[in-house]
């Protein structure tokens, strides 16, 4: 099996590997000597070096990865670009509330926005801008939401403390913020 | 575990553990298969006896599941007793071809439906197992570098959005009703009504909108339309669906709770049946 | 570029796509007609159908995915932790009911299974195999559930029409069902 299907097996594990695949790991998984694994890898790389291929095997971080050829980067970028231009206003508002008031539950967001937010929250979860961070110690144990690493990355923030302080443009604004905080969660201060 | 089962004092050729069954229907299907009997002609006395015997084991499952098994036990006993009754003479005024109902019918229907979905579950299991041998892409570097799909949004946008939220909250507190676009809502609803001669579901009018303020506005707008005799609210059954219909389109024979189109007075609007 | 490198570009974006790649998306990204995109996909699939390959292109959830070949699962499993055990029997049963009967409410599922399904439904929601698709216009406005894209992917289905046909061995059962409906209706009117 190994020798006949060597490069096929290698191709399969290369695709599935969650991290750059080292020669050592290949040898382990396939029950080969590292020397043999290296030969197989060379064979497979040659297969991928044929013209007409869109993929190539690249060495990275001490291992090998299956990746797209740089000359087709344009298309890959176009694919990975968002289909929609951005977030809807509703989504943006919900995201802002979650960012500034996290951790927060859906009912709490709904109380603020005055509308159901199931779908918006679902979408934000899908886009990995928010995530479930736990459950609130309240009846029904509702899920608590917070922002993700991707959220920070996207907005270029190191951490949440870097979120700009928000106030209304009038001097009353801070007051509102404080009053609401005071009312709803005595301990937290934005 | 064995405790209650042993009380029966009858060594069974094979042991049946209640905990192994998904629920009462699962257990019943098992008994029916075991006895190799026709599901459409279940010897109910025999099956009931076996069922009751097995659920002696009830202490081995948690309370919720135990109650599910008990409910079925009651159903079986009920069917059994009804099977013993002489069949009532046929009442000819009813649907002529209808046969007297078999007490087992409902249960059989449930069992058949359940067994179909069990089969479907088996088919899904096969697919699951097939897919367990298939893997998709693991590591992919472009993905890690790329930003989440959020093209063209800046931190300022986010801040501004939150400011708007705060302002909304402020409005909510300080200006509860002044800005209500009631007239606009009246127009919207009468437009919707004009396009739905059959009427609109009362509830639909509310789920469509959203905010609490909009709920209030919608309600006020409805009252206004009813007051102006441009719409009627109809409820055909107690606790049934409330319909809002364009005035004059009310179908004959409908009993309308609350507001009738013709003899509508201003005070009548208050009688609009309240939800909940 | 497109025609000369067509399958190469397609191969690149197929690998890069984080979800099943639809013909429509291919056409969009490559600036082709869907008809043309489909031809390219057929060409690429043929390339992957060669012996000696460890990968194949699979149609699922409305799009195409690059996957490992099942015959090499053993090695992939050795590389990764094996995929988590399959769904429980209760979960599969509930999922089957939802899949074949969607949209459906919890009480309706419970009527079929004869047991409470809160926990199972919760778990299926968490695993994103089902989602809330709306609310039923009935007292209490119960939530309606349906299956997700992830459901299709999990079972390797192209779309819901590919659900395995259930042998409805119900010439009689259908009869019973119909008669009951007739009864109910007549008693309600009366």
């Amino acid at each position: 099996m190994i020798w006949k299907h060597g490069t096929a097996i290698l191709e399969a594990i290369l695709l599935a590997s969650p991290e750059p695949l080292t020669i050592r790991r290949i040898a382990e998984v396939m029950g080969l000597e590292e020397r043999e694994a290296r030969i197989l890898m060379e064979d497979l790389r040659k297969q991928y070096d044929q013209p007409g291929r869109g993929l190539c095997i690249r060495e990275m971080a001490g291992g090998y990865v299956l990746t797209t050829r740089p000359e087709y980067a344009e298309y890959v970028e176009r694919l990975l670009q968002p289909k929609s231009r951005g977030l809807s206003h509703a989504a943006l508002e919900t995201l802002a509330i979650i960012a500034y008031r996290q951790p927060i539950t859906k009912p709490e967001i709904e109380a603020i926005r005055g509308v159901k937010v199931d779908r918006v929250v679902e979408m934000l979860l899908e886009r990995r801008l928010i995530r479930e961070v736990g459950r609130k110690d309240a009846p029904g144990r509702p899920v608590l939401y917070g922002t993700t690493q991707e959220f920070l990355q996207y907005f270029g923030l190191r951490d949440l403390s870097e979120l700009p302080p928000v106030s209304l443009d009038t001097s009353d604004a801070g007051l509102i913020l404080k009053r609401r905080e005071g009312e709803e969660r005595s301990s937290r201060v934005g | 575990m064995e405790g209650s089962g042993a009380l029966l004092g009858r060594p069974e050729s094979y042991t049946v553990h209640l905990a192994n069954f998904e629920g009462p229907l699962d257990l019943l299907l098992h008994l029916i298969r075991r006895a190799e009997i026709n599901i459409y002609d279940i010897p109910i006395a025999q099956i009931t006896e076996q069922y009751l015997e097995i659920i002696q084991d009830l202490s081995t499952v948690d309370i919720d599941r135990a109650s599910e098994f008990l409910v079925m036990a009651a159903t079986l006993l009920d069917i059994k007793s009804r099977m013993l009754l002489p069949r009532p003479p046929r009442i000819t005024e009813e649907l002529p071809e209808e046969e007297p109902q078999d007490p087992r019918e409902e249960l059989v229907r449930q069992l058949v439906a359940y067994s179909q979905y069990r089969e479907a579950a088996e088919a899904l299991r096969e697919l699951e197992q097939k897919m367990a041998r298939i893997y998709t892409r693991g590591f992919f570097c472009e993905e890690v570098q790329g930003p989440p799909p959020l093209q063209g949004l800046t931190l300022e946008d986010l801040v501004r959005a939150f400011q708007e939220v705060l302002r909304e909250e402020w409005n909510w507190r300080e200006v509860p009703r002044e800005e209500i676009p009631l007239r606009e809502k009246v127009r919207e609803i009468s437009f919707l009504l004009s396009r739905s001669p059959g009427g609109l579901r009362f509830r639909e009018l509310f789920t469509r909108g959203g905010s609490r303020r909009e709920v209030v506005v919608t309600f006020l707008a409805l009252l206004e339309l009813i007051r102006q005799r441009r719409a009627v609210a109809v409820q055909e059954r107690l606790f049934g669906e409330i319909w809002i219909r364009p005035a004059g389109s009310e179908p004959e024979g409908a009993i309308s709770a609350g507001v009738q189109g013709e003899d509508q007075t201003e005070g009548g609007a208050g009688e609009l049946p309240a939800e909940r």
Side-chain angles (χ1 to χ4, degrees), chain A, chain B:
Chain A
M1 175 87 161
I2 287 291
W3 284 111
K4 192 157 167 236
H5 298 267
T7 52
I9 296 170
L10 182 56
E11 195 181 25
I13 61 178
L14 190 61
L15 177 79
S17 177
E19 59 202 6
L21 195 59
T22 61
I23 288 293
R24 194 170 155 189
R25 194 89 182 93
I26 297 168
E28 238 172 70
V29 166
M30 295 182 64
L32 299 171
E33 298 290 317
E34 290 192 16
R35 189 180 43 80
E36 297 166 324
R38 201 164 279 121
I39 294 171
L40 271 188
M41 181 55 86
E42 277 321 300
D43 286 352
L44 188 63
R45 283 187 89 162
K46 265 180 220 142
Q47 283 181 26
Y48 272 86
D49 270 348
Q50 303 297 321
R53 297 302 308 258
L55 308 179
C56 62
I57 295 172
R58 204 185 298 165
E59 229 174 316
M60 171 187 291
Y64 295 87
V65 295
L66 190 62
T67 185
T68 59
R69 278 177 190 261
E71 54 262 49
Y72 305 125
E74 178 195 344
Y75 296 95
V76 173
E77 271 158 35
R78 213 179 291 162
L79 173 83
L80 296 179
Q81 257 169 24
K83 282 176 237 172
S84 55
R85 276 132 247 103
L87 293 179
S88 69
H89 186 74
L92 182 61
E93 241 181 60
T94 305
L95 182 61
I97 292 169
I98 294 171
Y100 279 93
R101 297 252 170 102
Q102 60 189 299
I104 188 169
T105 67
K106 243 191 257 184
E108 286 163 351
I109 304 169
E110 284 167 356
I112 296 171
R113 293 206 50 227
V115 294
K116 281 268 165 206
V117 296
D118 302 271
R119 256 186 246 162
V120 177
V121 164
E122 177 77 8
M123 188 275 285
L124 291 173
L125 280 170
E126 263 164 31
R127 291 198 171 188
R128 308 251 203 124
L129 291 165
I130 62 168
R131 66 195 177 95
E132 301 186 0
V133 294
R135 282 177 181 269
K136 186 166 179 161
D137 204 1
R141 296 188 53 69
V143 172
L144 286 163
Y145 296 93
T147 51
T148 57
Q149 277 299 112
E150 283 90 340
F151 169 86
L152 293 175
Q153 259 175 40
Y154 180 80
F155 288 108
L157 302 170
R158 229 172 316 163
D159 53 52
L160 286 173
S161 71
E162 285 198 343
L163 266 179
V166 169
S167 59
L168 279 182
D169 6 36
T170 63
S171 54
D172 309 17
L175 205 111
I176 298 173
L177 193 56
K178 260 189 214 123
R179 201 173 61 196
R180 286 210 51 93
E181 296 286 355
E183 271 168 23
E184 288 194 338
R185 43 180 86 182
S186 43
S187 57
R188 267 187 143 258
V189 178
Chain B
M1 277 291 200
E2 299 276 294
S4 49
L7 283 179
L8 290 170
R10 188 194 300 175
E12 278 182 295
S13 47
Y14 47 94
T15 1
V16 175
H17 287 296
L18 200 54
N20 294 340
F21 292 95
E22 292 294 328
L25 292 173
D26 191 17
L27 175 54
L28 274 181
L29 276 184
H30 169 80
L31 295 175
I32 290 165
R33 289 219 178 103
R34 192 175 76 174
E36 291 179 356
I37 46 181
N38 178 359
I39 196 167
Y40 297 108
D41 191 17
I42 302 171
I44 208 79
Q46 176 195 333
I47 290 293
T48 303
E49 191 189 325
Q50 290 174 1
Y51 182 92
L52 292 177
E53 199 171 290
I54 288 169
I55 69 167
Q56 301 288 323
D57 203 16
L58 217 51
S59 60
T60 60
V61 300
D62 69 48
I63 186 77
D64 287 336
R65 299 193 56 201
S67 65
E68 288 156 3
F69 282 106
L70 280 177
V71 168
M72 179 58 75
T75 307
L76 287 172
L77 288 170
D78 176 54
I79 294 173
K80 190 176 149 192
S81 66
R82 277 193 289 148
M83 294 286 286
L84 297 174
L85 295 175
R87 298 203 164 173
R90 190 185 285 188
I91 300 163
T92 40
E93 280 164 57
E94 285 183 43
L95 296 175
E97 75 270 41
E98 191 169 328
E99 285 174 27
Q101 194 190 333
D102 186 326
R104 299 170 294 184
E105 198 177 279
E106 170 70 25
L107 180 65
V108 168
R109 191 177 63 82
Q110 218 182 343
L111 281 170
V112 168
Y114 177 66
S115 67
Q116 279 162 10
Y117 289 110
R118 287 234 316 207
E119 236 174 80
E122 282 312 306
L124 287 181
R125 174 74 80 203
E126 267 170 43
L127 289 177
E128 183 189 46
Q129 277 163 1
K130 214 167 105 196
M131 289 305 291
R133 301 182 60 74
I134 288 161
Y135 293 81
T136 54
R137 185 189 82 187
F139 179 82
F140 187 68
C141 44
E142 270 101 328
E143 185 184 45
V144 179
Q145 294 160 354
L150 246 195
Q151 209 67 8
L153 207 63
T154 64
L155 193 54
E156 283 90 85
D157 293 324
L158 187 77
V159 171
R160 207 170 304 127
F162 193 58
Q163 270 169 342
E164 273 168 42
V165 170
L166 292 179
R167 206 173 294 130
E168 258 300 289
E169 279 185 317
W170 175 254
N171 288 344
W172 249 98
R173 269 146 214 279
E174 303 304 318
V175 215
R177 255 173 229 186
E178 265 69 351
E179 294 172 8
I180 290 171
L182 181 58
R183 209 170 292 175
E184 198 179 305
K185 196 75 195 175
V186 169
R187 275 203 305 271
E188 184 193 324
I189 295 175
S190 61
F191 173 72
L192 286 174
L193 278 175
S194 72
R195 301 183 65 189
S196 357
L200 298 162
R201 285 189 175 84
F202 178 76
R203 257 193 294 229
E204 237 167 34
L205 285 169
F206 291 90
T207 45
R208 192 167 292 164
S211 76
R212 281 174 284 180
R213 187 158 47 176
E214 189 155 9
V215 170
V216 174
V217 176
T218 305
F219 194 73
L220 289 175
L222 272 178
L223 289 184
E224 181 63 21
L225 281 168
I226 290 167
R227 196 184 63 77
Q228 293 175 11
R229 300 188 193 182
R230 288 160 67 190
V232 286
V234 181
Q235 188 179 36
E236 291 178 0
R237 275 182 295 125
L238 194 59
F239 306 124
E241 191 78 60
I242 297 170
W243 289 85
I244 307 298
R245 300 202 165 113
S249 72
E250 199 177 341
E252 263 179 71
I255 310 139
S256 74
V259 192
Q260 289 278 11
E262 299 307 307
D263 38 41
Q264 170 62 41
T265 61
E266 279 204 25
E271 290 169 29
L272 186 73
E275 273 278 282
R276 269 177 277 167

